Amino acid sequence: MIPGEKMTKLKTDTMFKQFLKYCIPTVLSLLVFSLYTMVDGMFVAWGVSELALSAVNICMPFVQMLFAVAILFAVGTSTVSAVLSGQQRHAEANRVFSQNAALLAVAGAVMTVVVLVFTDQIAEFLGAVPENGAYVRQYLRGLAPFCISIMISYSLEILVKTDGFPHLAIVAVVTGAVTNCVLDYLFVMVFGWGVPGAAVATGMAQTLVMLIYIIHFLKKRGKFRFVRFRFDPKVYKRIIPIGIPDGLTELSVGVTVFMFNWVVLRFIGVGAVVSYTITSYIGNIVIMVMAGISQGIQPLVSYYKGCGELDCARKLFGYAVKSVAVMSVISLVICVAAAPQIAGIYISGGEAGLLEYSVHVLRVYSISFLIAGYNIVTSGFLVALEKPVGAIAISLLRSIVVLACSLFVLTAVFGGEGIWWATTLTEGICLVISLLVLRSVEKGFRHGSAHTDTLATMRESGENETLSC
C-alpha cells in the first residue's frame, strides 16, 4: 500500500505495474537477507573448515527464530496499519507502528541476555556435537549482542515498504549485504577471528540496516512515524493471528534445518550435515524468493480489502501464482545443472566423496521447489485478506506437522536417503490442503458478492487493467 498523496499514482497504475513495483523490491530484499548466513558459511568454510561450516548451519534455526518473531509482528502490524490507513485512520496506524518497534526492541534485549546466559544449553538443544560444539557456541556468543538489530531491521524492512518506499528497502539490504561481505573478509580471512568474526560481521551489518530505516522514519518522509503511545495489548488480538502464518513460514526454514540436522546426525553422520548445510542455503534462497512475492502483494491486497475491491486482490494473487510457477522451474533447472559448481563453493577439492554426495542431495531436494511457492503464496494471500485460520493451517502443517511425519515415515522405509525426499512429499500434501482452503475462501467471496472465481484469475493477465479504488 502507498498511503497519503501517493495513492493518486496508485489509482492510475496498471495492476501488473503495481505488482512489479512491490514484488521486485521485496524479493530482492529477502534475497539479500538470505545471503547473510550463506556468506558467513562461505568465509567460514574457506577460512576455518567444512566442520565449522556445519556449526553455522546448526545455529541457523536460532537466527530464523529471530526473523520469525520479527516478521510475526511486522506482517501483522503492516496489515493492520495498511487497513487503518486505507480507512484514513492514520493516527491509529502510527501508534500501532510505534508500539511494534518498541516491543521488538524489548524482545531483542531479552534474547541477548538469554543467549549469553544459556549458551551451552542452547547449543546442545540446536544439535551441537563434540566435533563442532565449540564453533556453535562461538557463533551464538558473537551474534547475541545484535539480537535487537536483527529483529528491528527485519521488521522495519517490511514496514518501510508498507510506508510507500519499497526501493529504500533495496538500498538498505544491499548496503547491509555488502557491509557483511567486507566485514566477513576482514574478520575471518584477514584478522583470523574465525567463526566469532563471521557472527560479529553479520550483527554489525544488520545494525547498519536498522539505522538506515530508523533515520527514514525519523525524517517523517512517509505517513508512518514514531509517536508516543500507550501500550495497548488488545491490538495483538488482531496483529498476532495475522502475523502467525508468515512467522511460521519464516520459522519453517529454521525448524526444517533443526529437524533435518537431527535426523541426518542420527541416520547418516556429521559429514552429511555439511551436505545439508549447502542444500539449506540454496533452499533458503528459493523460499525467500517465493516469500518475497507473497509479501510483495500483501500490502496492496490489504489496502484493496479495506476499499472493498476484492477483484483487485484476486488479480494480484493471479500474478503471484504465475510468478512462483516460473521461478520454481528456473530454480530446479539451476540446481540440477549447476549442483557441482554450487557444492564446490563450500567443499575443497580434497573432499571428492563429500562433494559428490552433496551434489546428489541438492538435486533431490530441489524437486520440492516445484511445489513450495504455491503454498507460500496462498498462505500470504489469506493473511492479507485477514483470513488467518486457513493461513495458519497451511503454514503450521508445512513447517512442522506434515514435515515431521514425512521425515519419520520416509526414514523408516528408506533410511537416510528418505531424508532428502521428505520436503517434496510435505509440499505436495500441503498443496492439496492449500487448494481446499482456497476453494472454501472463494465460496465466502461469492457469498459476499464477489464476481470472479479466484482460481480463474490465475489464467488472466489483466496487464492493461487499471485500478479503480
Side-chain angles (χ1 to χ4, degrees):
M1 129 112 190
I2 307 178
E5 64 275 7
K6 295 188 179 182
M7 191 53 63
T8 300
K9 183 66 168 61
L10 175 61
K11 292 177 181 179
T12 59
D13 280 347
T14 64
M15 187 77 70
F16 187 63
K17 185 176 180 180
Q18 284 302 316
F19 172 79
L20 293 178
K21 184 176 182 179
Y22 276 79
C23 283
I24 290 177
T26 306
V27 168
L28 291 177
S29 297
L30 292 182
L31 187 61
V32 174
F33 260 119
S34 69
L35 294 176
Y36 276 81
T37 305
M38 187 175 182
V39 170
D40 281 355
M42 289 171 56
F43 281 102
V44 165
W46 297 342
V48 186
S49 68
E50 285 88 356
L51 187 60
L53 170 63
S54 70
V56 174
N57 187 62
I58 286 175
C59 293
M60 187 178 175
F62 168 72
V63 178
Q64 294 299 145
M65 183 273 295
L66 296 179
F67 285 164
V69 173
I71 202 172
L72 184 153
F73 290 102
V75 169
T77 300
S78 174
T79 301
V80 171
S81 298
V83 173
L84 290 172
S85 294
Q87 298 170 346
Q88 303 304 308
R89 298 159 63 184
H90 300 297
E92 292 179 57
N94 282 332
R95 287 194 292 270
V96 172
F97 163 76
S98 301
Q99 183 170 310
N100 171 71
L103 180 67
L104 287 179
V106 173
V110 171
M111 287 306 306
T112 294
V113 174
V114 169
V115 173
L116 292 177
V117 173
F118 300 103
T119 305
D120 293 341
Q121 293 86 340
I122 294 173
E124 183 178 355
F125 173 77
L126 291 174
V129 293
E131 293 89 337
N132 59 17
Y135 292 134
V136 173
R137 291 188 289 273
Q138 290 171 6
Y139 194 83
L140 288 172
R141 292 192 182 105
L143 203 61
F146 302 99
C147 289
I148 294 177
S149 300
I150 292 172
M151 296 177 74
I152 292 183
S153 65
Y154 202 50
S155 174
L156 293 183
E157 185 269 333
I158 294 173
L159 289 161
V160 78
K161 289 177 290 190
T162 307
D163 196 32
F165 295 85
H167 297 295
L168 177 61
I170 296 180
V171 172
V173 296
V174 169
T175 300
V178 172
T179 301
N180 188 40
C181 290
V182 172
L183 293 180
D184 265 327
Y185 174 75
L186 290 176
F187 293 169
V188 179
M189 307 300 290
V190 177
F191 299 157
W193 293 354
V195 173
V200 172
T202 294
M204 292 180 67
Q206 291 285 339
T207 301
L208 176 60
V209 173
M210 178 188 68
L211 292 176
I212 292 174
Y213 292 140
I214 289 177
I215 290 172
H216 162 79
F217 290 112
L218 290 176
K219 287 183 176 180
K220 301 179 180 179
R221 296 173 58 194
K223 289 296 178 182
F224 289 161
R225 59 199 61 183
F226 296 112
V227 297
R228 291 184 178 181
F229 64 91
R230 178 175 295 177
F231 185 78
D232 180 15
K234 294 180 181 178
V235 72
Y236 293 106
K237 292 182 180 179
R238 186 176 181 186
I239 288 176
I240 291 178
I242 295 171
I244 283 177
D246 278 281
L248 286 175
T249 297
E250 189 73 32
L251 185 63
S252 69
V253 179
V255 173
T256 299
V257 172
F258 177 81
M259 288 193 291
F260 269 80
N261 283 337
W262 188 85
V263 295
V264 166
L265 286 170
R266 180 177 179 180
F267 286 91
I268 305 176
V270 67
V273 175
V274 177
S275 300
Y276 177 64
T277 300
I278 298 168
T279 300
S280 68
Y281 284 161
I282 305 304
N284 189 35
I285 289 176
V286 175
I287 292 299
M288 288 301 102
V289 170
M290 307 302 185
I293 295 171
S294 174
Q295 292 177 25
I297 67 170
Q298 284 178 358
L300 290 169
V301 170
S302 296
Y303 179 80
Y304 295 130
K305 176 183 180 294
C307 291
E309 293 284 344
L310 293 178
D311 287 342
C312 296
R314 292 191 188 87
K315 184 64 66 176
L316 290 164
F317 177 65
Y319 286 133
V321 169
K322 292 177 182 178
S323 298
V324 299
V326 173
M327 293 306 302
S328 63
V329 174
I330 293 175
S331 300
L332 176 62
V333 170
I334 291 175
C335 288
V336 171
Q341 290 75 20
I342 294 171
I345 295 174
Y346 297 91
I347 300 174
S348 64
E351 298 285 349
L354 182 58
L355 178 62
E356 181 180 356
Y357 186 69
S358 299
V359 169
H360 167 70
V361 170
L362 178 57
R363 285 173 171 167
V364 171
Y365 188 93
S366 63
I367 297 173
S368 66
F369 300 159
L370 292 174
I371 313 172
Y374 301 105
N375 294 320
I376 292 172
V377 166
T378 300
S379 177
F381 179 63
L382 296 174
V383 166
L385 293 175
E386 292 192 274
K387 301 286 186 180
V389 175
I392 291 172
I394 295 169
S395 298
L396 184 62
L397 288 172
R398 69 178 293 271
S399 62
I400 300 176
V401 179
V402 178
L403 178 60
C405 293
S406 297
L407 282 170
F408 176 79
V409 172
L410 292 180
T411 52
V413 177
F414 302 106
E417 181 64 18
I419 295 172
W420 314 122
W421 291 96
T423 303
T424 299
L425 177 60
T426 298
E427 297 291 359
I429 293 172
C430 290
L431 178 60
V432 176
I433 297 171
S434 295
L435 292 174
L436 293 174
V437 173
L438 205 57
R439 176 172 293 183
S440 175
V441 171
E442 178 60 24
K443 290 180 180 179
F445 281 168
R446 289 171 179 166
H447 185 265
S449 300
H451 302 296
T452 307
D453 189 275
T454 299
L455 298 180
T457 61
M458 298 181 189
R459 301 186 294 272
E460 298 173 7
S461 62
E463 298 177 3
N464 297 319
E465 181 176 326
T466 56
L467 309 186
S468 59
C469 285

